[in-house]
């Protein structure tokens, strides 16, 4: 009745084209053949795997909806829509990994290098804000007129120097790069605001000069950095009472600055002292943390040779 079975074969038999072969031959063909025949069992298994994958994706999307403020993947991922979120769960930034392996000296140098880098970045921001003054100076040096050649571009140099010094004061007074937890967008807004204040100062000076020339009353303008903004900046970064030495130093520095620039200079000096105080506090916290780690190693009997030498120096001092 083979012809009858061929006409009315069951669906379970049709699903397996290798059903009549010897088991060993069948196993060999399944292993070596490039064409893979899928049986009902393998199809069911693949469907189960696909269903589990869909469930995992739905669970990941649900977690993202429960925590809308937390991104599904870190910024290092190329796909910010949540793809491969299960792979990025164990990701740690390289800076975090390197911070765990740094020595005490390297951590201290990072703090000091950050302070130096801040001063360098303030200078770069001031140069960016004074780009037009740099262009005028370069144009005077490359193609000067007769009067500019005779004065050696003195007016353009003074214009650039004043712009650079004033922009630096304003950036420090406004708290540019004063903290490490601000976004680059906020720092850029501070830089743009400093440039806006500088050009406002130039327009005010032009109005005062025009009033003097025409014999009109000299107009009064509010300070470039309002006291409310200065008080808000001090609330964000509490300021300690100035010592007598600092007061004397501030008084001497303000004597060398023109009257119209003294408010910005004072705010810049105070902001610089606050930054130094913050760096000193960070260094002190770092030393305290190192001391605690040193005591913990000593209690566990894992004291290193450097711990013994540093302890001897501290006891001797």
């Amino acid at each position: 009745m083979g012809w009858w079975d061929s006409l009315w074969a069951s669906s379970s038999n049709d699903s397996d084209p290798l059903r009549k072969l010897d088991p060993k031959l069948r196993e060999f063909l399944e292993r070596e053949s490039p064409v893979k025949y899928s049986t009902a069992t393998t199809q069911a298994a693949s469907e189960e795997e696909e269903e589990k994958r869909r469930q995992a994706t739905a669970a990941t999307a649900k977690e993202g909806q429960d925590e809308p403020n937390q991104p599904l993947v870190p910024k290092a991922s190329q796909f910010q829509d949540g793809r491969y979120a299960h792979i990025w769960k164990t990701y740690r930034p390289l800076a975090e990994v390197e911070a765990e392996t740094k020595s005490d000296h390297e951590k201290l140098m990072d703090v000091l290098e950050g302070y130096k880098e801040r001063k360098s970045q303030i200078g770069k921001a001031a140069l960016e804000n004074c780009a037009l003054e740099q262009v005028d100076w370069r144009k005077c040096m490359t193609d000067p007129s007769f009067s500019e050649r005779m004065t050696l571009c003195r007016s353009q140099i003074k214009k650039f120097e004043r712009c650079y010094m004033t922009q630096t004061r304003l950036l420090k007074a406004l708290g540019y790069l004063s903290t490490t937890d601000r976004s680059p967008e906020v720092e850029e807004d501070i830089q743009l605001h400093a440039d806006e204040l500088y050009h406002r100062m130039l327009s005010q000076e032009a109005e005062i000069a025009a009033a003097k020339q025409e014999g009109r009353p000299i107009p009064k303008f509010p300070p470039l950095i309002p006291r409310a903004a200065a008080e808000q900046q001090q609330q964000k970064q509490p300021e300690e009472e100035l010592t007598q030495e600092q007061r004397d130093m501030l008084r001497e520095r303000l004597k060398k600055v023109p009257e119209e620039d003294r408010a910005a200079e004072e705010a810049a000096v105070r902001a610089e002292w606050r930054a130094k105080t913050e760096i000193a506090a960070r260094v002190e916290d770092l030393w305290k943390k190192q001391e605690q780690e040193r005591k913990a190693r000593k209690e566990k009997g894992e004291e290193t040779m450097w711990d013994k030498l540093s302890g001897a120096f501290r006891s001797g001092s």
Side-chain angles (χ1 to χ4, degrees):
M1 298 293 291
W3 60 273
W4 182 263
D5 293 337
S6 64
L7 292 175
W8 305 97
S10 62
S11 59
S12 61
N13 292 335
D14 289 341
S15 61
D16 189 2
L18 306 179
R19 65 186 182 279
K20 295 183 179 180
L21 296 180
D22 182 74
K24 293 184 178 180
L25 178 60
R26 177 176 175 172
E27 181 182 357
F28 174 79
L29 290 177
E30 288 179 351
R31 185 175 65 252
E32 299 295 335
S33 175
V35 180
K36 304 298 181 183
Y37 294 96
S38 60
T39 61
T41 305
T42 56
Q43 289 178 358
S46 62
E47 290 178 359
E48 290 179 1
E49 292 179 358
E50 185 66 24
E51 182 65 23
K52 290 181 180 179
R53 191 179 298 109
R54 285 197 295 267
Q55 291 177 358
T57 305
T60 304
K62 186 177 180 181
E63 291 178 0
Q65 294 176 358
D66 295 339
E67 299 178 359
N69 295 330
Q70 183 177 1
L72 297 176
V73 292
K75 294 182 179 180
S77 174
Q78 185 179 0
F79 306 100
Q80 293 296 318
D81 55 356
R83 279 181 284 179
Y84 313 113
H86 61 287
I87 300 178
W88 287 96
K89 283 183 177 180
T90 57
Y91 169 76
R92 297 177 61 193
L94 179 61
E96 181 181 345
V97 177
E98 290 179 346
E100 295 180 354
T101 59
K102 286 183 178 179
S103 63
D104 297 343
H105 178 70
E106 289 175 340
K107 293 178 181 179
L108 179 61
M109 292 305 298
D110 286 344
V111 175
L112 300 179
E113 288 295 333
Y115 177 71
K116 294 179 181 179
E117 181 66 19
R118 172 183 175 271
K119 297 180 67 176
S120 175
Q121 291 299 325
I122 289 176
K124 290 181 180 179
L127 288 176
E128 290 179 0
N129 288 352
C130 298
L132 296 179
E133 286 74 10
Q134 293 185 71
V135 171
D136 293 341
W137 185 8
R138 182 177 293 275
K139 183 178 179 181
C140 176
M141 297 297 292
T142 54
D143 188 19
S145 62
F146 178 76
S147 59
E148 291 173 345
R149 191 186 300 272
M150 296 300 295
T151 58
L152 299 177
C153 303
R154 188 175 300 132
S155 61
Q156 286 80 3
I157 294 175
K158 287 184 177 181
K159 183 180 177 182
F160 169 74
E161 288 179 348
R162 188 189 181 194
C163 175
Y164 180 79
M165 295 299 298
T166 307
Q167 293 276 4
T168 303
R169 293 191 188 109
L170 293 174
L171 288 169
K172 291 180 180 179
L174 294 174
Y176 183 73
L177 296 178
S178 58
T179 58
T180 58
D181 56 350
R182 277 204 297 249
S183 62
E185 290 78 11
V186 177
E187 302 294 350
E188 185 176 0
D189 291 340
I190 294 176
Q191 180 180 354
L192 293 175
H193 186 53
D195 190 46
E196 180 183 355
L197 291 178
Y198 175 72
H199 287 89
R200 185 189 305 174
M201 182 192 71
L202 294 181
S203 63
Q204 292 175 1
E205 291 178 352
E207 293 181 16
I208 293 174
K212 289 181 178 180
Q213 186 176 3
E214 296 173 1
R216 294 184 287 107
I218 298 177
K220 300 292 183 181
F221 299 101
L224 291 178
I225 302 177
R227 186 169 298 276
E231 292 177 356
Q232 184 180 4
Q233 183 70 16
Q234 292 177 9
Q235 289 177 1
K236 292 180 180 179
Q237 297 177 345
E239 177 186 356
E240 297 181 357
E241 187 67 24
L242 297 181
T243 62
Q244 185 61 38
E245 182 181 359
Q246 288 177 334
R247 293 194 190 96
D248 297 338
M249 187 183 303
L250 180 61
R251 193 179 301 110
E252 292 297 327
R253 291 186 62 171
L254 293 180
K255 288 180 180 178
K256 302 176 183 179
V257 179
E259 183 68 26
E260 61 273 10
D261 296 337
R262 288 183 180 178
E265 177 67 15
E266 181 178 358
V269 171
R270 290 179 178 271
E272 191 68 17
W273 283 343
R274 284 196 298 270
K276 290 182 179 180
T277 303
E278 182 182 355
I279 293 298
R282 290 179 60 185
V283 172
E284 186 177 356
D285 293 341
L286 183 60
W287 281 115
K288 289 181 179 179
K289 184 178 179 181
Q290 293 175 1
E291 182 65 22
Q292 293 175 358
E293 294 175 353
R294 196 176 294 115
K295 289 181 179 179
R297 288 194 298 267
K298 186 176 181 180
E299 292 175 357
K300 294 179 181 180
E302 300 176 354
E303 189 176 14
T304 61
M305 183 62 67
W306 174 251
D307 293 340
K308 296 179 181 179
L309 291 174
S310 59
F313 282 120
R314 286 195 305 272
S315 60
S317 59

